[in-house]
Amino acid sequence: MGKDTIVRVMVAKPGLDGHDRGAKVIARALRDAGMEVIYTGLRQTPEQIVTAALQEDVDALLLSILSGAHNHLFPRITQLLREKGGENILVMGGGVIPQDDIPGLKQAGIREVFGPGTSTEVIVNFVKENVT
Amino acid sequence: MTIIEGVLRGNVRDIARLITIVENELPEATAAMQSIFSHTGTAYTIGFTGPPGAGKSTLVDKITLQLCRQGKKIGIVAIDPSSPFSGGALLGDRIRMRDIITEQEVFIRSVSTRGSMGGLSRAAGDIAKILDAAGKDVVIIETVGVGQDEVDIFKTADTSVLVLMPGAGDDIQSIKAGIMEIADIFVVNKADREGADGLITSIRQMLDLNTAPGPWRPPIIKTSATQNEGIEELLKAVQEHREFLTISGSLAARRKERLRTEIIRLVERRVSRLVQSQIKQNGRFEKLVEKVAAREEDPYSCVERIVKPLEQK
């Protein structure tokens, strides 16, 4: 990535839970780290998220979920991204996700999963180090 | 150059990628815009501007949905401010554009001002051109929330819509001089709220007081975007303005004027970059700044020293 290129990140809320305080805190931290953050609002379908990520040409996609539907929604999103030419986008997940589910999600293309209590600094640094 | 072919065919990935290239002024940007230019000029550009929270994004959402139903292909450039401190931005216009995000023929791009004043970003005009070349029938540009003086949208859009809302009574006084003069259409949104009729009256009075009225008198449209009210009327007003511009020949004149401004702007940018790269060589510039700061030299002589050699080249 060129030094003048600004990193673009999308923060998205797939599924039906209505809690986005965490997503907003992370969006704000990424903004303060000099990134352009696109926030799409609550209750997005995988199709909506993927369409938006492709149009916005984001480098990274952060999915926040608290409803427990991550095992269904996250792999669906990574699959759609692969189908539509977005396989280079760095996809991460966050929210309430049991430890046991993490290996499966990583297998499905989620590069990292951030649980409750993760500092925003860790997430910001992960994005910085892993976008290409 | 396959990315250009992709853009011309309307391929989403290629359109998105080219916008990124242009926004970041990557080396291939100029050549790409050169190949695209001959394919532009067919889309009609509508600008939406107005103070923060007036309902611009929601209106754009509703209008776009209507246009989609008419079979139109729409491109949207939605601009939000960048942080003066970090350079980052939180782009949230999509939150209000829920009705249209899954429409096949709609392409939305969220853009940060990246420090530009004037309500748009530097690349906004080029992004509109890319969407035009990609076959969109209508390109909608939504400015950042504006105050008084951000009139760049007028230089970029064919029809400029100024969205206002009741309850900001004194605002209308304060914005009389700048932005109130550029609107082709006034929208009083949130018209279900108290004060809408008063706002309409004061806009009308302002228009009546115009001592040099042009042939187009901007209509005032009442809308309530979240209730989907007044959307048809607003679209009709845009259509009427478009017909007026076309028949009167003003559309061609406006577009030509716009290109004139754009060429000058591009020249200025190129020259400014050239100057900056020259003066920042060898830390010479920093030494000059030190001298001025120490009051050994004044800024004006400093400028002379920098510009004189360049003029002689």
Side-chain angles (χ1 to χ4, degrees):
Chain A
M1 188 150 293
K3 65 176 163 52
D4 295 330
T5 308
I6 294 178
V7 175
R8 285 170 67 86
V9 185
M10 198 166 96
V11 175
K13 286 280 308 172
L16 294 174
D17 74 271
H19 304 280
D20 65 349
R21 173 61 61 88
K24 283 175 177 162
V25 167
I26 287 159
R28 171 71 198 265
L30 294 164
R31 187 204 85 174
D32 290 344
M35 301 179 197
E36 288 182 354
V37 186
I38 295 117
Y39 180 53
T40 58
L42 296 167
R43 302 187 186 92
Q44 301 278 300
T45 65
E47 286 76 12
Q48 288 170 333
I49 290 168
V50 169
T51 302
L54 294 177
Q55 291 180 355
E56 300 288 0
D57 194 26
V58 293
D59 305 294
L61 172 60
L62 270 145
L63 304 167
S64 160
I65 198 162
L66 300 161
S67 69
H70 47 270
N71 283 337
H72 170 65
L73 293 170
F74 284 6
R76 175 82 186 126
I77 289 165
T78 47
Q79 181 203 341
L80 282 169
L81 281 173
R82 278 193 298 273
E83 284 171 14
K84 298 188 174 183
E87 62 280 346
N88 292 330
I89 298 172
L90 171 72
V91 188
M92 295 150 287
V96 182
I97 294 167
Q99 281 296 330
D100 292 351
D101 292 345
I102 294 175
L105 293 175
K106 287 195 170 171
Q107 192 83 44
I110 305 294
R111 287 278 294 280
E112 192 53 272
V113 175
F114 302 106
T118 310
S119 85
T120 53
E121 206 184 332
V122 168
I123 299 173
V124 167
N125 287 336
F126 188 86
V127 174
K128 277 186 183 164
E129 282 159 20
N130 289 281
V131 292
T132 46
Chain B
M1 215 180 186
T2 53
I3 185 167
I4 301 294
E5 288 164 13
V7 169
L8 297 178
R9 280 200 308 267
N11 179 283
V12 171
R13 205 79 185 98
D14 289 324
I15 300 170
R17 184 70 201 132
L18 184 55
I19 293 174
T20 303
I21 289 171
V22 167
E23 267 208 297
N24 290 300
E25 299 186 286
L26 300 183
E28 58 267 45
T30 305
M33 289 313 293
Q34 281 172 331
S35 1
I36 278 220
F37 186 75
S38 62
H39 300 275
T40 62
T42 46
Y44 194 77
T45 316
I46 309 171
F48 279 81
T49 191
K56 297 181 292 295
S57 303
T58 310
L59 265 178
V60 168
D61 184 52
K62 306 295 178 193
I63 290 273
T64 303
L65 193 60
Q66 287 286 331
L67 289 167
C68 284
R69 286 182 185 150
Q70 295 172 14
K72 298 274 200 303
K73 299 176 183 173
I74 317 292
I76 298 171
V77 187
I79 304 163
D80 267 335
S82 61
S83 160
F85 303 110
S86 73
L90 194 60
L91 310 174
D93 288 323
R94 273 181 180 271
I95 300 172
R96 315 268 175 246
M97 298 186 187
R98 305 198 70 117
D99 292 343
I100 53 171
I101 38 182
T102 42
E103 291 287 336
Q104 273 295 316
E105 299 297 351
V106 177
F107 186 105
I108 307 170
R109 183 64 170 233
S110 311
V111 174
S112 112
T113 54
R114 299 202 177 176
S116 276
M117 297 301 165
L120 297 179
S121 76
R122 182 197 52 76
D126 282 345
I127 298 172
K129 284 200 207 92
I130 293 168
L131 294 169
D132 183 351
K136 298 301 180 195
D137 302 301
V138 177
V139 174
I140 297 177
I141 302 175
E142 183 194 326
T143 72
V144 293
V146 299
Q148 303 177 309
D149 213 13
E150 295 92 338
V151 295
D152 281 1
I153 188 65
F154 181 67
K155 298 172 201 153
T156 311
D158 296 319
T159 296
S160 297
V161 180
L162 175 59
V163 185
L164 300 168
M165 60 178 166
D170 277 350
D171 274 10
I172 189 143
Q173 297 292 337
S174 61
I175 58 186
K176 267 180 184 169
I179 203 163
M180 294 292 276
E181 292 173 289
I182 64 149
D184 298 308
I185 296 168
F186 287 92
V187 167
V188 173
N189 192 35
K190 310 193 186 186
D192 48 321
R193 291 197 186 174
E194 203 183 311
D197 291 325
L199 178 56
I200 290 171
T201 306
S202 65
I203 298 168
R204 194 172 291 141
Q205 282 171 346
M206 182 212 65
L207 291 172
D208 289 341
L209 285 172
N210 193 345
T211 48
W216 172 262
R217 181 179 164 110
I220 307 164
I221 314 290
K222 249 169 120 169
T223 61
S224 183
T226 51
Q227 313 297 315
N228 224 349
E229 279 165 25
I231 306 303
E232 296 275 356
E233 290 80 355
L234 175 54
L235 268 178
K236 196 166 149 262
V238 172
Q239 188 55 35
E240 279 167 8
H241 184 245
R242 183 178 184 168
E243 279 162 20
F244 161 79
L245 288 177
T246 312
I247 292 164
S248 65
S250 322
L251 185 60
R254 256 190 198 201
R255 289 184 169 182
K256 189 175 165 189
E257 192 50 40
R258 200 189 300 163
L259 289 170
R260 184 195 311 276
T261 315
E262 184 182 351
I263 295 165
I264 293 173
R265 197 176 54 89
L266 287 171
V267 169
E268 283 174 351
R269 190 161 176 85
R270 176 96 172 252
V271 171
S272 144
R273 284 180 141 198
L274 183 71
V275 172
Q276 289 195 22
S277 72
Q278 294 266 338
I279 63 178
K280 287 188 178 159
Q281 275 173 6
N282 324 321
R284 196 182 120 222
F285 181 62
E286 280 311 310
K287 280 179 201 135
L288 284 172
V289 174
E290 290 291 335
K291 278 192 171 179
V292 176
R295 293 293 190 278
E296 286 167 25
E297 188 159 15
D298 64 272
Y300 315 98
S301 319
C302 178
V303 171
E304 278 298 305
R305 271 177 195 260
I306 291 167
V307 178
K308 262 276 152 55
L310 291 171
E311 281 175 345
Q312 282 158 2
K313 271 185 191 167

